[in-house]
């Protein structure tokens, strides 16, 4: 009996056999019921698959007529509507904006720079007085005439498309030289007409490259960036200058806290120092203010210092000219720094508590306060909130021995003791993270609708903005010594890892790629940073020195790897890898050697969270989604004992271990069960600490509070 | 154009290589629909399939010399299919990786809707087409390509040329690929298979 060749039968079925072959198969079919059954089966399979795959064919509305498609293609090949063959014609690159390539204009701006700086002050103080700005007008005219059509067109477009992708290379400079950018106002920008169309401001930018058409969030007024509340108006970069001679900020004593508040464009408050952390009401407050004169001041101003409660009721105050009248503002020299000591006496029986310390200047002749703008401190009623002070000893009964948990709720940052006491709102913002000593909190807050990084004290006092950019910021992470923060910033799909000192100085971009770099993680010794990178094709984990050198790829590109986290001893890095469609937790040596899966998840499971290592290094926590339910799991660092801790709760993206590694805090999204929860590491004792908590971030204070 | 439509692919290609724009039009009109259909099946979006079909034909337009003329046997269609399949598979691969990355970003992004990633894109469409496409793409690439091309109308000879397999083995490869597909599909959606 002849064997049935399935392939031949199939070809027969499809009418793909030659006449001789067909005859042969038909003969076979006539003799063999087996072959007939085979054929019927093949027919059925073919139809079934054909029907199923037929679902993927374009429907009538998805049809793409070839004639139309050809027209579109031709339009693309000949954008000018040119007729005739365009074969082998290379498309010409789009004309770049001319400003940057115009050496004469740049020379012009440079030549006018010294004058320009002077005139700029005049403009800011007295308004747009034509007679005083001959030098300035040259630049204005050139820019306005040469570039107006281009600029006007950009302004009309939505913000997103205003920023073209091309970047502009500055003249070569040394690293870290302050760069001044000339900005041109295209429409009136807030506060009367201080910025009129065509007027020029300056903007400090730390990097050497900047997209042309960049919209500055702040226009630099005098010396420092003055906030201009640019909501209605836009400032567009049209030129750029490098000014290596300009010193950045004047030296302050180490104990002083720097800030920047510009009064009437004449005087800047550049720092303050409080002699005592906790104020004894009997002794009053000893405060030093550091002023800097930005230009010659005609009038004598008076300093006022208020101590106000939460309702802004003034409970104590002091008004005096600077340095008890020995250094009137009219005698200050431009750029001079004045140390100004004040003593604020307290009334008797001053109630213990937290109070706001508020500072401002006024004209003693008129009683009118000077307008103040500050980039990093809260301004209200033309005064600046310097800090929040503790009057008398803090009430110790509220302190908890089990630490405190930071989380998000109602678009605010909250802290709650782990025993459930003392729920307190600290600030508006997101992504809070404790400094390693538990004394400060870094977080994100929006400024001009862009997230920026801030640092505040653990009690919410003294929020200080660290970053300035047109990009977005994510994931601030403290260095183990609490001196620096790593963070992610970028636009769209391109993000880079940066570090910045916790006082906002020395922002450095560590990665420089067209990739998406996220998840910066400090090694426990603070020497290195691991991060995850996606270059549009591969997901890998890299490590580099904390200064960006010695970049090394740790993972094998065959899998998608992300979310690195160092073991507390710094010997290993755990990470998440998706191989095929399966998510697992992996562990590798810190040099990338010996990657080993710690979990053995089913293919339907997805890890939907951070990996969080317990402080004792014994366990990793993560969330695993199986069949629509996201549960909290732990696994030992050696891969044993994978345990599900939660039932019937959908857990969020981030968790926090208690400092003793005995408990975990997490956010639940489950309907009717949403909130901040605690659970023992063995899955017992589930407790809800707060409701209405939202994700994604949860942080447990790194040290027990005293 | 009428004389163009009766010329063989090889003749048209020869003219195109000599710089004749009209020959490109003829080749385009002749092959566009089938290339578009294959791309639509793989990508599931009219816009994406049209874009990619343009890319494929642009390659032909800019570098027609990449196809060798061998008598009258020159396989322009085969070349177009191969380019289309490679482009589509590359796009799908990076789509998948991009989706995975966007998912990471979405989870990190703490600012709700004013965010760069679009979580809606990440939710896998549950419609039947998407599920069928997923099963097709889970097959070995060679099997998936074979099924795809056969079920969009290629003959055994064309399949053999595009996929570089022996014409005599098409029947048995097809049988195996269809079984694999059916098995996967039934396993994934048992409720719909009976």
């Amino acid at each position: 009996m002849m064997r049935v060749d399935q392939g031949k039968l199939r070809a027969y079925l499809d009418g793909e056999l030659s006449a001789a072959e067909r005859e042969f198969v038909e003969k076979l079919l006539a003799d063999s019921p087996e072959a007939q059954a085979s054929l019927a089966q093949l027919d059925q399979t073919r139809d079934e698959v054909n029907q199923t795959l037929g679902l993927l064919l374009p429907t009538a509305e998805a049809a793409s007529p070839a004639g139309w498609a050809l027209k579109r293609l031709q339009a693309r090949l000949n954008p000018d509507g040119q007729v005739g063959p365009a074969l082998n014609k290379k498309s010409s690159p789009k004309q770049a904006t001319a400003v940057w390539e115009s050496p004469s204009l740049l020379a012009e701006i440079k030549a006018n720079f010294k004058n320009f700086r002077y005139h700029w002050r005049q403009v800011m103080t007295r308004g747009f007085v034509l007679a005083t700005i001959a030098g300035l007008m040259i630049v204005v005219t050139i820019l306005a005439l040469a570039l107006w059509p281009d600029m006007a067109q950009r302004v009309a477009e939505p913000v997103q498309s205003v920023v073209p992708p091309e970047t502009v290379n500055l003249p070569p400079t040394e690293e870290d030289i302050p760069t001044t950018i000339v900005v041109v106002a295209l429409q009136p920008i807030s506060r009367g007409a201080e910025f009129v169309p065509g007027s020029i401001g300056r903007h400090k930018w730390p990097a050497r490259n900047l997209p042309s058409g960049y919209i500055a969030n702040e226009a630099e007024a005098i010396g420092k960036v003055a906030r201009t509340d640019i909501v209605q108006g836009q400032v567009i970069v049209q030129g750029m200058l490098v000014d290596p001679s300009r010193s950045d900020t004047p030296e302050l004593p180490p104990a002083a806290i720097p800030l920047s508040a510009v009064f009437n464009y004449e005087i800047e408050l550049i720092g303050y120092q409080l002699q005592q952390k906790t104020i004894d009401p009997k002794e009053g407050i000893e405060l030093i203010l550091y002023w800097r004169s930005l230009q010659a001041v005609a009038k004598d101003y008076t300093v006022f210092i208020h101590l106000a409660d939460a309702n802004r009721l003034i409970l104590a105050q002091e008004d005096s000219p600077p340095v008890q009248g020995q250094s009137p503002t009219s005698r200050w020299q431009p750029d001079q720094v004045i140390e100004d000591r004040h003593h604020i006496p307290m009334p008797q029986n001053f109630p213990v508590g937290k109070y706001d310390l508020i500072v401002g200047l006024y004209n003693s002749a008129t009683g009118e306060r000077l307008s103040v703008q500050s980039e990093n401190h809260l301004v209200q009623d033309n005064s600046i909130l310097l800090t929040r002070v503790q009057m008398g000893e803090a009430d110790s009964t509220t302190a908890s021995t089990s630490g405190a948990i930071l989380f998000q709720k109602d678009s605010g940052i909250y802290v709650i003791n782990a025993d459930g006491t003392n729920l307190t709102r600290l600030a508006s913002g997101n992504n809070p993270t404790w400094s390693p000593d538990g004394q400060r909190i870094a977080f994100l807050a929006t400024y001009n609708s862009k997230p920026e990084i801030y640092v505040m004290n653990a009690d919410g006092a003294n929020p200080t903005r660290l970053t300035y950019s047109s990009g977005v910021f994510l994931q601030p992470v403290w260095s183990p010594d609490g001196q620096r923060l790593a963070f992610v910033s970028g636009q769209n799909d391109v993000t880079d890892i940066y570090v910045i000192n916790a006082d906002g100085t020395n922002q450095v971009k560590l990665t420089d790629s067209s990739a998406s770099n996220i998840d910066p993680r400090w090694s426990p010794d603070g020497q290195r940073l691991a991060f995850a990178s996606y270059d549009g094709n591969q997901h890998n984990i890299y490590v580099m020195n904390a200064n960006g050198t010695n970049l090394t790829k740790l993972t094998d590109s065959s899998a998608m790897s992300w979310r690195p986290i160092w073991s507390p001893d710094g010997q290993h890095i755990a990470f998440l890898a998706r191989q095929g469609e399966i998510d697992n937790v992996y562990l590798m040596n810190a040099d990338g050697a010996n990657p080993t899966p710690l979990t053995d998840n089913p293919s339907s499971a997805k890890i939907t969270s951070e990996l969080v290592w317990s402080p004792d290094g014994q366990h990793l926590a993560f969330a695993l989604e199986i069949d629509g339910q996201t549960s909290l799991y732990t696994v030992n660092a050696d891969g044993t004992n994978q345990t599900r801790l939660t039932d019937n709760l959908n857990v969020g993206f981030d968790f926090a271990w208690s400092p003793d590694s005995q408990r975990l805090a997490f956010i639940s999204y489950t309907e009717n069960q949403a909130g901040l929860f605690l659970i023992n590491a063995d899955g017992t004792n589930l407790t809800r600490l707060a409701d209405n908590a939202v994700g994604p971030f949860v942080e447990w204070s790194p040290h027990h509070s005293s | 154009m009428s004389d163009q439509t009766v010329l063989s692919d090889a003749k048209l290609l020869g003219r195109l290589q000599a710089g004749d724009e009209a020959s490109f039009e003829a080749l385009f009109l002749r092959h566009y629909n089938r290339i578009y259909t294959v791309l639509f099946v793989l990508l599931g979006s009219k816009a994406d399939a049209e874009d990619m079909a343009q890319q494929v034909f642009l390659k032909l337009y800019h570098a027609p010399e990449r196809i060798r003329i061998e008598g009258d046997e020159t396989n322009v269609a085969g070349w177009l299919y191969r380019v289309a399949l490679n482009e589509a598979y590359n796009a799908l691969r990076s789509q998948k990786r991009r989706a995975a990355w966007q998912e990471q970003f979405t989870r990190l992004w703490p600012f709700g809707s004013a965010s760069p990633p679009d979580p809606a894109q990440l939710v896998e469409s549950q419609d039947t087409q998407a599920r069928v496409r997923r099963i097709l793409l889970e097959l070995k690439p060679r099997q998936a390509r074979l099924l795809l091309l056969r079920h969009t109308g290629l003959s055994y000879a064309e399949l053999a040329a595009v996929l570089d397999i022996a014409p005599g083995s098409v029947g048995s490869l097809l049988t195996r690929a269809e079984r694999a597909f059916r098995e996967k599909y039934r396993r994934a959606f048992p409720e719909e298979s009976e």
Side-chain angles (χ1 to χ4, degrees):
Chain A
M1 172 132 194
M2 278 178 293
R3 298 221 29 99
V4 184
D5 179 345
Q6 300 265 330
K8 275 269 181 322
L9 277 179
R10 178 57 206 266
Y12 172 75
L13 205 55
D14 285 336
E16 287 276 358
L17 291 181
S18 65
E21 285 175 313
R22 196 164 54 237
E23 199 179 317
F24 174 80
V25 170
E26 274 166 3
K27 207 164 152 212
L28 177 81
L29 280 169
D31 294 346
S32 160
E34 194 193 340
Q36 286 167 21
S38 262
L39 187 71
Q41 216 173 52
L42 283 171
D43 194 18
Q44 201 202 333
T45 307
R46 184 184 70 163
D47 284 356
E48 197 179 312
V49 173
N50 194 258
Q51 233 169 52
T52 312
L53 288 177
L55 295 170
L56 299 182
L57 294 173
T59 53
E61 71 239 35
S64 178
W68 283 108
L70 179 62
K71 281 210 164 57
R72 267 198 304 276
L73 184 69
Q74 284 167 334
R76 189 164 155 185
L77 288 166
N78 294 310
D80 330 325
Q82 236 175 281
V83 269
L87 280 178
N88 303 323
K89 198 182 89 177
K90 300 273 175 269
S91 61
S92 60
K94 227 183 134 200
Q95 279 286 302
T97 319
V99 194
W100 309 104
E101 278 122 42
S102 163
S104 61
L105 178 61
L106 204 59
E108 192 93 47
I109 295 174
K110 270 183 180 161
N112 280 288
F113 183 61
K114 294 292 173 200
N115 288 339
F116 155 64
R117 197 171 165 194
Y118 170 73
H119 288 307
W120 176 242
R121 291 177 184 172
Q122 305 300 312
V123 171
M124 294 310 288
T125 38
R126 294 181 207 161
F128 204 81
V129 185
L130 288 175
T132 64
I133 56 165
L136 174 64
M137 283 308 285
I138 295 170
V139 180
V140 172
T141 312
I142 289 170
L143 286 174
L145 291 181
L147 303 163
W148 194 261
D150 185 32
M151 292 191 291
Q153 187 194 338
R154 284 199 200 146
V155 171
E157 289 167 352
V159 171
Q160 283 303 323
S161 58
V162 170
V163 183
E166 67 262 46
T167 58
V168 174
N169 293 314
L170 276 171
T173 65
E174 299 300 314
E175 291 290 337
D176 297 334
I177 288 178
T179 300
T180 304
I181 293 149
V182 178
V183 295
V184 180
L186 300 178
Q187 39 183 293
I189 294 160
S190 80
R191 302 193 197 283
E194 283 163 353
F195 258 101
V196 299
S199 69
I200 295 183
R202 290 181 295 141
H203 179 66
K204 198 171 66 184
W205 183 260
R208 285 191 288 163
N209 297 325
L210 189 78
S212 67
Y214 166 79
I215 301 175
N217 283 328
E218 295 85 20
E220 190 171 359
I222 309 145
K224 293 290 277 185
V225 174
R227 195 172 133 188
T228 49
D229 287 337
I230 302 170
V231 180
Q232 319 91 324
Q234 291 176 343
V235 175
I236 291 197
V237 174
Q238 289 295 351
M240 206 181 297
L241 288 174
V242 180
D243 181 10
S245 64
R246 208 179 125 241
S247 71
D248 199 8
T249 36
E251 288 278 309
L252 284 176
I257 295 164
L259 68 107
S260 171
V262 176
F263 291 82
N264 207 29
Y265 306 109
E266 294 176 314
I267 293 169
E268 183 184 14
L269 180 63
I270 57 171
Y272 72 94
Q273 189 176 334
L274 260 179
Q275 300 300 75
Q276 324 92 319
K277 210 169 175 187
T278 301
I279 313 287
D280 181 346
K282 290 192 204 82
E283 292 178 1
I285 297 172
E286 301 293 334
L287 174 68
I288 308 173
L289 300 173
Y290 294 92
W291 303 99
R292 176 166 65 155
S293 169
L294 299 171
Q295 56 177 310
V297 176
K299 302 190 181 82
D300 288 329
Y301 298 129
T302 303
V303 180
F304 65 88
I305 300 165
H306 294 166
L307 195 67
D309 68 9
N311 302 316
R312 292 189 71 80
L313 187 67
I314 298 168
L315 300 176
Q317 76 178 86
E318 195 237 18
D319 292 37
S320 75
V323 203
Q324 278 80 53
Q326 290 169 31
S327 179
T329 53
S330 60
R331 276 192 241 152
W332 290 1
Q333 298 299 311
D335 278 341
Q336 185 188 353
V337 174
I338 291 98
E339 184 184 296
D340 177 24
R341 288 171 183 269
H342 292 267
H343 173 80
I344 304 108
M346 297 294 118
Q348 287 203 329
N349 300 323
F350 205 88
V352 164
K354 286 185 161 53
Y355 297 93
D356 288 344
L357 196 57
I358 295 160
V359 172
L361 288 172
Y362 63 89
N363 182 338
S364 47
T366 62
E368 205 179 320
R369 288 184 182 181
L370 272 65
S371 70
V372 57
Q373 297 182 331
S374 175
E375 58 188 7
N376 49 17
H377 272 242
L378 190 65
V379 171
Q380 256 177 330
D381 302 334
N382 282 330
S383 61
I384 178 159
L385 169 60
L386 214 51
T387 183
R388 194 171 287 172
V389 294
Q390 173 70 41
M391 193 63 64
E393 287 303 323
D395 183 359
S396 59
T397 58
T398 57
S400 161
T401 52
S402 49
I405 298 164
L406 275 174
F407 66 106
Q408 292 164 228
K409 175 179 152 86
D410 312 325
S411 76
I413 294 169
Y414 281 75
V415 65
I416 190 169
N417 287 337
D419 58 14
T421 61
N422 214 12
L423 175 69
T424 314
R425 184 185 166 102
L426 297 179
S428 295
N430 281 291
N431 205 169
T433 164
W434 292 107
S435 65
D437 63 2
Q439 298 297 306
R440 284 173 297 169
I441 296 164
F443 64 105
L444 299 177
T446 48
Y447 177 85
N448 275 357
S449 78
K450 303 242 172 63
E452 301 279 1
I453 298 173
Y454 287 71
V455 169
M456 63 185 172
N457 296 350
D459 63 359
N462 203 15
T464 305
R465 183 174 159 196
L466 299 193
T467 57
Y468 297 85
S469 168
S470 60
V472 301
F473 290 92
L474 289 169
Q475 296 187 290
V477 200
W478 291 91
S479 64
D481 64 2
Q483 298 296 305
R484 291 190 288 172
L485 287 152
F487 62 92
V488 172
S489 176
Q491 307 251 23
N492 301 327
D493 284 341
V494 180
T495 56
D496 279 299
I497 311 288
Y498 290 72
V499 290
I500 192 169
N501 290 349
D503 63 3
T505 60
N506 205 18
Q507 178 177 322
V508 182
K509 183 171 159 185
L510 297 185
T511 58
D512 192 5
S513 63
S514 53
S516 192
N517 299 314
I518 63 167
D519 285 343
R521 298 284 182 260
W522 297 90
S523 61
D525 63 5
Q527 299 298 306
R528 282 172 296 167
L529 277 160
F531 63 97
S533 181
Y534 170 58
D535 63 8
N537 190 28
Q538 297 179 345
H539 303 73
N540 280 302
I541 290 166
Y542 288 78
V543 69
M544 62 187 168
N545 292 347
N547 62 5
T549 60
N550 205 12
L551 180 69
T552 313
K553 187 169 92 170
L554 297 185
T555 49
D556 165 12
S557 313
S558 67
M560 292 150 78
S561 307
W562 55 74
R563 293 196 198 125
I565 178 168
W566 298 80
S567 60
D569 64 6
Q571 298 298 304
H572 296 94
I573 294 173
F575 62 103
L576 173 59
R578 179 170 296 170
Q579 183 95 50
E581 294 294 311
I582 304 173
D583 281 0
N584 275 306
V585 179
Y586 279 71
L587 189 68
M588 62 186 168
N589 297 351
D591 63 1
N594 203 18
T596 316
L598 297 186
T599 54
D600 184 13
N601 291 329
S603 62
S604 58
K606 239 177 167 181
I607 296 177
T608 59
S609 72
E610 297 268 26
L611 298 175
V612 188
W613 216 307
S614 64
D616 64 8
Q618 299 296 304
H619 317 280
L620 281 150
F622 57 96
L624 200 57
E625 182 193 316
I626 300 176
D627 298 333
Q629 175 104 51
T630 307
S631 307
L632 176 58
Y633 281 76
T634 56
V635 66
N636 290 353
D638 61 4
T640 60
N641 204 18
Q642 182 169 342
T643 312
R644 188 168 99 177
L645 300 190
T646 57
D647 284 313
N648 308 318
L649 283 179
N650 279 317
V651 305
F653 174 74
D654 191 22
F655 328 104
W657 287 91
S658 62
D660 62 5
S661 303
Q662 297 299 306
R663 288 187 289 173
L664 275 155
F666 65 91
I667 302 286
S668 154
Y669 291 103
T670 318
E671 209 176 334
N672 303 324
Q673 292 244 59
L676 173 68
F677 281 79
L678 286 188
I679 196 167
N680 287 353
D682 61 5
T684 60
N685 205 13
L686 180 73
T687 325
R688 176 149 67 173
L689 278 196
D691 53 18
N692 295 324
V694 293
F697 299 99
V698 189
E699 282 257 324
W700 205 311
S701 65
H703 290 281
H704 298 218
S705 31
S706 52
Chain B
M1 193 181 276
S2 58
D3 66 319
Q4 305 283 355
T5 55
V6 295
L7 290 176
S8 70
D9 278 5
K11 288 247 162 54
L12 288 172
L13 183 65
R15 289 184 178 200
L16 176 61
Q17 288 177 352
D20 174 31
E21 183 103 341
S23 298
F24 173 75
E25 290 181 12
L27 284 170
F28 186 96
L29 294 170
R30 185 176 292 173
H31 296 290
Y32 176 80
N33 275 330
R34 296 208 297 174
I35 295 296
Y36 169 76
T37 302
V38 166
L39 291 171
F40 182 87
V41 167
L42 280 172
L43 303 174
S45 137
K46 180 177 175 181
D48 290 351
E50 284 184 333
D51 272 4
M52 195 164 288
Q54 285 213 349
Q55 298 296 339
V56 171
F57 281 96
L58 275 174
K59 282 199 170 163
L60 173 65
Y61 179 85
H62 285 303
E65 67 279 0
R66 275 197 246 173
I67 311 176
R68 267 182 319 191
I69 300 179
E70 293 161 356
D72 213 39
E73 295 301 302
T74 301
N75 196 344
V76 175
W79 186 85
L80 289 170
Y81 277 118
R82 270 196 302 278
V83 172
L85 287 171
N86 286 339
E87 296 265 318
Y89 268 84
N90 283 341
L92 286 170
R93 212 168 11 247
S94 59
Q95 234 176 49
K96 214 162 160 185
R97 288 176 172 271
R98 177 167 304 275
W101 191 255
Q102 293 245 311
E103 195 182 313
Q104 308 312 306
F105 243 114
T106 311
R107 293 181 200 286
L108 293 176
W109 185 257
F111 289 93
S113 60
S115 65
D118 175 9
Q121 291 175 345
L122 307 175
V123 179
E124 195 183 328
S125 161
Q126 284 305 301
D127 66 55
T128 320
Q129 282 197 1
R131 299 197 305 195
V132 173
R133 189 173 298 108
R134 211 180 71 213
I135 302 291
L136 180 67
L137 294 172
E138 278 174 10
L139 290 178
K140 289 174 193 148
R142 173 157 269 210
Q143 289 190 327
R145 290 173 192 217
L146 186 66
L147 285 188
L148 170 64
L149 294 179
R150 175 62 191 162
H151 288 273
T152 54
L154 266 67
S155 70
Y156 279 27
E158 287 171 318
L159 290 173
V162 173
L163 300 174
D164 198 21
I165 49 181
S169 66
V170 171
S172 50
L173 289 174
L174 206 48
T175 307
R176 246 176 278 158
E178 282 179 350
R179 289 215 175 111
F181 177 82
R182 192 177 63 165
E183 195 186 320
K184 260 190 194 296
Y185 189 74
R186 284 187 170 175
R187 199 158 0 120
F189 309 109
E191 73 280 5
E192 282 169 30
S193 304
E194 266 350 293

